[in-house]
Amino acid sequence: MEQAEALLKDYWYFKKEIKRLMTDLLLAKHAYEHSMCELPSSCRYSIVKSRNRQIAKPVEINVMIMLDEYRAQMESIEKLLEKTREGLRRIEEAVERASLSARQQEYIRMRYYANLSAEAVSQRMYCSASTCRRIRRSALERIEEAMKKPA
């Protein structure tokens, strides 16, 4: 049951990480595009990868290096973003394979996806804390069983 709960707790952290990475990617793209617009060029190349660095001036070479760094930063953020999204998909698939009841799904959604406290979940589900604990236990057991089965 601990594995299933740890997996579900990761969901909220993955969502938070995706938001942070999207902001970082947006900032990196903006910096890249802003630098491209202000690129001083005597040789009029618009694509960084196809520039001939041998005929460029030293200032242009430094700008090209900076643009290459921005591009590398954007690519690394995109890779992290894809890895994090894959983690989310893995968690969602495990919950989906568990074939939870409507109440169990509602509990999982509020407690782990929305990161509400156990007390807040019991109030929103209009049930006692002990009933919520039973719902939680049965949902986590089903998820744990679904994780053990091959996909």
Side-chain angles (χ1 to χ4, degrees):
M1 205 162 77
E2 289 93 22
Q3 287 180 338
E5 188 162 31
L7 185 75
L8 289 169
K9 285 182 179 180
D10 285 345
Y11 187 91
W12 186 78
Y13 294 113
F14 282 150
K15 286 291 234 184
K16 197 172 181 179
E17 182 71 7
I18 284 175
K19 286 180 185 178
R20 187 190 64 78
L21 287 171
M22 291 296 290
T23 302
D24 289 350
L25 183 62
L26 184 68
L27 292 172
K29 280 183 179 180
H30 177 71
Y32 177 76
E33 290 168 359
H34 183 69
S35 298
M36 282 291 288
C37 292
E38 295 184 2
L39 175 65
S41 178
S42 60
C43 45
R44 293 192 169 86
Y45 286 102
S46 60
I47 300 174
V48 177
K49 296 274 186 192
S50 65
R51 286 202 183 100
N52 185 350
R53 292 182 185 209
Q54 293 175 348
I55 63 170
K57 296 176 184 175
V59 171
E60 292 173 342
I61 292 173
N62 287 335
V63 171
M64 288 180 216
I65 291 170
M66 180 184 66
L67 289 175
D68 288 343
E69 288 175 3
Y70 282 141
R71 181 179 296 233
Q73 181 183 12
M74 287 182 346
E75 289 171 357
S76 71
I77 292 171
E78 287 171 346
K79 285 179 186 176
L80 281 172
L81 195 56
E82 185 55 37
K83 193 175 180 182
T84 307
R85 285 183 176 150
E86 181 58 37
L88 272 181
R89 279 192 288 275
R90 186 173 42 89
I91 293 169
E92 289 170 349
E93 287 172 3
V95 171
E96 190 175 310
R97 278 192 316 232
S99 61
L100 303 173
S101 69
R103 284 184 69 92
Q104 290 170 336
Q105 287 177 359
E106 185 179 3
Y107 181 86
I108 296 296
R109 183 183 52 77
M110 285 193 282
R111 180 72 175 112
Y112 298 105
Y113 293 2
N115 201 31
L116 295 176
S117 68
E119 184 179 318
V121 172
S122 66
Q123 288 174 354
R124 290 185 184 187
M125 289 182 70
Y126 301 108
C127 61
S128 67
S130 61
T131 302
C132 271
R133 282 192 295 274
R134 282 194 299 273
I135 293 170
R136 173 186 160 272
R137 187 176 354 99
S138 62
L140 291 177
E141 286 172 356
R142 279 188 168 186
I143 293 170
E144 191 88 25
E145 289 171 17
M147 287 171 51
K148 290 178 184 176
K149 293 179 186 174

